[in-house]
Amino acid sequence: MRTSKRRIIFHIDMNSFYASVEMANNPSLKGKPLAIAGNVEERKGIVITSSYEARAKGVKTTMPLWQAKRLCPELIVKPPQFELYRNASRTIFELLQDYSPLVEPVSIDEAYLDITTALQNQEPPIKTAQRLQQQLKQKLDLPCSIGIAPNKFLAKMASDMKKPMGITVLRKREIQQTLWPLDVGEMHGVGSKTKEKLNGIGIAAIGDLARFDRKLIKQKMGNIGEKLWDRANGIDDRAVDPEAWSDFKSIGSSTTLPKDIDTEPKLNEVLYYLAESVSPKLRRKKVLTQNVQLTIRYGNRKTITRSRKLDNPIQTVEELYTAAKFLLIAHWDGKPVRLLGITAMDLVQKKAAVKQLDLFSYQDDTQDEKLYNTIEKLKDKYGDTVIKKGHHEN
DNA sequence: TCTGGGGTCCTAGGACCC
DNA sequence: TCTGGGGTCCTAGGACCC
């Protein structure tokens, strides 16, 4: 759905969400430097989120914990409690529904809200935003920033401008003043690689991009360049889509191992554990997968993905494990592994899947045969030993 | 002393078909 | 004699976001 009608879009961004939820849950943490981080002993000790008090000392997301503690020795560190955050998130989105049915959650702590029609000129948008912000603070004890703009991109940029507990209105006629002076790397959608590229053609600020020749930027940067040019000029007609959240594309699970592993039986154990994690997620969402992807990150951090389309949709632990194991046998080069992951892609609704299963069940043999042929080829390539290791548990 | 885990979207090349 | 072009599917990788 596209619209040329003038719209009023909110972007709601919860401030340091995980840390704030912890504080709401345990008020004695308030006002203290707090970091949510994984286990150092298991090499997962990096900062996931930190409170503003910690940020003031230079603590940043993805920073190794030892580094964070060096910057902020009094840092309080808590392991993540994702159930807690998910519950808070659910409550927030429910509350947003009261303001407009057009709520599009974009992550656990962020949402777009189209309040164009919901507002009906009853009150100025900024008043609505203030009510919303106050309600989230009072009911859940959680701070947020809100951006108000005529489209998603500008609303997103606006919510970033005042933190925590800010409300920012960004009108299109104001972008030269407020948006264009910002570094182009601040743009949503511009990461380090794109920033480098843009800098390389003389674009440093968002305004430089906005004033660049549109044809030329397409020539130099491809489609992404054109899209960014539009955004920089305040053009973005993407609709707020409440359904976007429900049609997810993939479900996965991965883990960085406490130590690098270089034996196949141990890797298989990890795969089984991952399959046990992915399978219930599929079941809960009532979907099956027709394409399983294995992720291997080696000790040197080189990461590869290998996937295979399946003839029949699958869901159980054993099925996922088997599919992942074959991918491992086929593609693991024997070097130490740092991380393993299984991702279920090409998801199909269970109802549709059952129909397909009936239709194609005769292909069961074909699939087994294909796997058998793969193994034979691998034997030719690597000899017997690699293959035998893969069957240790049979 | 480094760098998690959950995702989305886009691109590009090769296979295959007409 | 030796050469086409379009479309779709599949796989792998990269960039980005929270």
Side-chain angles (χ1 to χ4, degrees):
Chain A
M1 187 191 73
R2 294 281 151 104
T3 173
S4 56
K5 191 168 162 256
R6 213 170 125 40
R7 300 178 293 162
I8 304 168
I9 309 294
F10 282 10
H11 179 256
I12 295 102
D13 196 354
M14 304 307 294
N15 302 132
S16 67
F17 185 56
Y18 296 175
S20 298
V21 174
E22 293 288 344
M23 287 179 176
N25 206 43
N26 177 3
S28 71
L29 293 169
K30 284 186 183 180
K32 293 178 182 162
L34 172 68
I36 310 303
N39 188 340
V40 189
E41 272 67 51
E42 293 187 354
R43 303 198 298 188
K44 298 174 189 178
I46 65 150
V47 176
I48 301 170
T49 318
S50 59
S51 67
Y52 283 89
E53 292 78 9
R55 289 181 200 191
K57 296 288 181 69
V59 176
K60 286 191 167 69
T61 295
T62 73
M63 182 179 271
L65 213 46
W66 59 265
Q67 206 176 333
K69 281 179 171 162
R70 202 177 55 191
L71 289 165
C72 180
E74 67 278 28
L75 188 68
I76 301 168
V77 181
K78 298 265 181 199
Q81 306 187 76
F82 291 108
E83 260 317 296
L84 206 61
Y85 313 147
R86 268 194 294 269
N87 287 337
S89 179
R90 206 169 300 130
T91 312
I92 292 165
F93 294 140
E94 277 168 17
L95 199 143
L96 295 183
Q97 294 283 340
D98 294 342
Y99 289 79
S100 166
L102 296 177
V103 180
E104 180 182 333
V106 278
S107 74
I108 194 165
D109 69 339
E110 249 185 82
Y112 290 104
L113 203 54
D114 186 331
I115 56 155
T116 313
T117 48
L119 217 55
Q120 295 173 326
N121 300 323
Q122 295 296 310
E123 91 186 323
I126 192 152
K127 287 268 179 252
T128 312
Q130 281 165 357
R131 266 199 300 134
L132 172 53
Q133 192 182 55
Q134 285 307 314
Q135 206 184 359
L136 287 169
K137 188 78 185 80
Q138 279 157 18
K139 286 204 172 165
L140 299 166
D141 200 9
L142 295 174
C144 73
S145 291
I146 301 177
I148 307 173
N151 62 50
K152 282 180 163 185
F153 173 72
L154 293 179
K156 168 81 182 166
M157 295 304 290
S159 72
D160 253 351
M161 289 175 179
K162 278 177 222 146
K163 287 178 167 181
M165 286 294 274
I167 295 176
T168 306
V169 179
L170 184 50
R171 298 177 185 84
K172 206 169 160 180
R173 61 173 180 272
E174 294 165 347
I175 63 174
Q176 297 198 28
Q177 294 283 332
T178 49
L179 192 68
W180 287 13
L182 300 180
D183 189 289
V184 74
E186 301 285 309
M187 266 181 91
H188 186 239
V190 176
S192 63
K193 301 285 179 183
T194 307
K195 176 178 154 66
E196 258 175 62
K197 255 185 164 176
L198 289 167
N199 288 166
I201 55 174
I203 294 171
I206 298 179
D208 299 335
L209 172 60
R211 286 183 293 256
F212 211 82
D213 184 77
R214 193 165 184 273
K215 287 231 170 65
L216 196 57
I217 197 90
K218 160 124 187 174
Q219 208 179 298
K220 293 191 180 287
M221 307 273 305
N223 293 334
I224 180 89
E226 243 179 350
K227 198 181 87 180
L228 290 173
W229 187 94
D230 287 346
R231 302 272 200 275
N233 281 283
I235 301 164
D236 176 14
D237 61 1
R238 290 172 301 161
V240 172
D241 177 9
E243 301 302 311
W245 190 243
S246 52
D247 45 85
F248 40 87
K249 310 282 189 296
S250 67
I251 295 174
S253 187
S254 66
T255 186
T256 296
L257 306 161
K259 281 182 187 163
D260 290 358
I261 290 179
D262 60 359
T263 66
E264 198 163 309
K266 284 187 180 170
L267 289 172
N268 281 334
E269 273 177 45
V270 178
L271 286 185
Y272 198 87
Y273 157 83
L274 290 169
E276 281 182 312
S277 158
V278 174
S279 178
K281 290 188 200 173
L282 294 176
R283 199 159 306 151
R284 221 174 299 133
K285 305 261 188 190
K286 295 187 169 52
V287 291
L288 289 84
T289 172
Q290 286 197 106
N291 193 346
V292 174
Q293 178 176 270
L294 174 73
T295 303
I296 303 173
R297 174 168 300 148
Y298 289 102
N300 63 4
R301 295 191 59 81
K302 182 177 167 52
T303 307
I304 63 163
T305 59
R306 292 293 182 271
S307 63
R308 225 188 72 177
K309 203 115 167 78
L310 307 171
D311 293 326
N312 297 319
I314 63 170
Q315 190 189 55
T316 68
V317 175
E318 293 299 329
E319 289 166 334
L320 289 167
Y321 171 59
T322 303
K325 194 171 65 174
F326 275 114
L327 286 166
L328 183 76
I329 295 169
H331 300 290
W332 176 47
D333 69 5
K335 297 205 180 85
V337 174
R338 179 188 176 90
L339 167 148
L340 277 183
I342 297 178
T343 303
M345 308 188 304
D346 296 0
L347 304 176
V348 287
Q349 293 300 312
K350 185 155 191 195
K351 272 186 187 165
V354 171
K355 217 197 274 176
Q356 250 170 333
L357 200 60
D358 287 344
L359 229 53
F360 293 108
S361 54
Y362 69 91
Q363 284 187 346
D364 276 359
D365 291 344
T366 317
Q367 192 158 9
D368 287 347
E369 207 175 303
K370 275 187 197 162
L371 291 173
Y372 179 79
N373 288 337
T374 309
I375 299 284
E376 288 305 306
K377 270 185 227 158
L378 287 165
K379 279 187 186 169
D380 291 345
K381 200 169 163 189
Y382 299 113
D384 247 5
T385 47
V386 177
I387 310 302
K388 276 183 185 155
K389 275 198 291 178
H391 292 274
H392 72 285
E393 76 286 307
N394 291 345

